[in-house]
Amino acid sequence: MITVIGNLKGGSGKSTVAFNLAVWLAVHGERVSAFDLDPQRTLTDVAEVRSDEGYTPLFSLHYGGADLVDELTSKSGEVIVDVGTADMEALKSALSVADRIVIPVPPSQADIWSTQRFLTVIDRVTTQKKPQICVFVNRADTHHSIRESDEAEEALGELDGVTLIHNRLHQRTAYRRSFSEGVGVFELVPWSKASKEFKSFAGILYPETREKKGK
Ligand SMILES: Nc1ncnc2c1ncn2[C@@H]1O[C@H](COP(=O)(O)OP(=O)(O)O)[C@@H](O)[C@H]1O
Ligand SMILES: [Mg+2]
């Protein structure tokens, strides 16, 4: 299945989610091909750190632009694609072949608006094949008295044609640390809150893989 992690805004957590999903799938024994179509190359950099530091399992990583889309569609196993807006052609090509588009949305009004804009881009580009579109709140506040994440989730729930994943990922230093070390957030401290919420999130996206035993 081709899962594209996308959003028009930078910093929403696309590469973080793409990396952690790729590692989680690999840990569960899936064949994973990750494609980094964002010229920022964050996913490529973090995959390199993982490999240099000797962590396993690894996943295959391909980087480039729209020309990679043919290769992407030829892969068996799970395909994870990280896309940004710096290469719009690559973004549109990836969206057009996606089985599923996963959109991380930070809890702010500006991010809700840009998500709405992104949905119109998706609609325009996906003329041949309509992918499933999943949205979820990333970088949610950990403090319960702050209501912004609830409000953001409510607004996302009102969008047409999208599946809202209620499993939020919160703003936690573990995500930043795991990224700089090249390990999945669930590998860093397996019993941490970040680990639990991410595994539960990944299991919602890949219910069949969840049933397999992780390493
Ligand atoms: N849930 C989170 N909690 C804390 N930091 C996060 C979270 N998600 C992303 N980040 C951090 O935010 C920054 C941008 O994330 P990144 O995944 O590179 O975003 P994008 O790929 O959408 O531009 C990175 O430093 C990353 O570690
Ligand atoms: Mg990125």
Side-chain angles (χ1 to χ4, degrees):
M1 171 162 47
I2 300 172
T3 301
V4 173
I5 321 295
N7 194 324
L8 296 179
K9 276 199 149 203
S12 54
K14 298 181 291 290
S15 302
T16 301
V17 170
F19 172 68
N20 277 283
L21 282 178
V23 174
W24 183 86
L25 287 164
V27 164
H28 285 77
E30 302 289 4
R31 180 136 41 103
V32 193
S33 306
F35 285 80
D36 186 357
L37 303 188
D38 188 337
Q40 285 192 359
R41 299 279 178 266
T42 310
L43 183 60
T44 306
D45 288 338
V46 66
E48 242 171 62
V49 173
R50 182 173 181 82
S51 163
D52 290 349
E53 295 295 321
Y55 292 112
T56 56
L58 297 174
F59 52 87
S60 76
L61 191 279
H62 315 259
Y63 64 86
D67 51 315
L68 275 187
V69 168
D70 280 346
E71 187 178 345
L72 193 157
T73 51
S74 71
K75 294 283 179 200
S76 56
E78 291 299 339
V79 175
I80 299 282
V81 191
D82 185 12
V83 289
T85 48
D87 185 344
M88 275 312 273
E89 198 196 341
L91 169 66
K92 288 179 180 173
S93 307
L95 296 177
S96 71
V97 297
D99 297 306
R100 174 165 69 182
I101 299 167
V102 175
I103 312 176
V105 187
S108 81
Q109 186 59 58
D111 285 286
I112 304 288
W113 283 330
S114 88
T115 302
Q116 287 171 318
R117 295 244 176 262
F118 188 40
L119 293 177
T120 63
V121 172
I122 294 171
D123 193 47
R124 235 182 297 133
V125 170
T126 53
T127 46
Q128 312 267 316
K129 169 168 140 185
K130 287 288 169 197
Q132 188 197 4
I133 302 172
C134 301
V135 295
F136 73 98
V137 175
N138 181 35
R139 316 191 74 155
D141 304 295
T142 45
H143 208 287
H144 291 300
S145 66
I146 302 176
R147 312 293 304 164
E148 270 155 340
S149 299
D150 295 339
E151 286 164 14
E153 206 172 77
E154 213 172 290
L156 292 178
E158 285 166 8
L159 298 175
D160 276 341
V162 305
T163 305
L164 171 65
I165 299 176
H166 283 285
N167 192 121
R168 298 174 196 172
L169 303 183
H170 291 83
Q171 176 73 30
R172 302 184 194 280
T173 50
Y175 287 101
R176 284 203 301 277
R177 248 186 66 213
S178 84
F179 222 39
S180 54
E181 293 179 24
V183 295
V185 74
F186 46 91
E187 296 174 308
L188 193 65
V189 182
W191 55 88
S192 66
K193 288 179 183 168
S195 169
K196 284 185 191 148
E197 72 182 12
F198 189 84
K199 286 195 283 193
S200 146
F201 169 77
I204 293 169
L205 285 178
Y206 297 95
E208 284 166 26
T209 303
R210 182 181 50 196
E211 304 308 321
K212 298 181 183 173
K213 205 171 154 3
K215 265 197 207 162

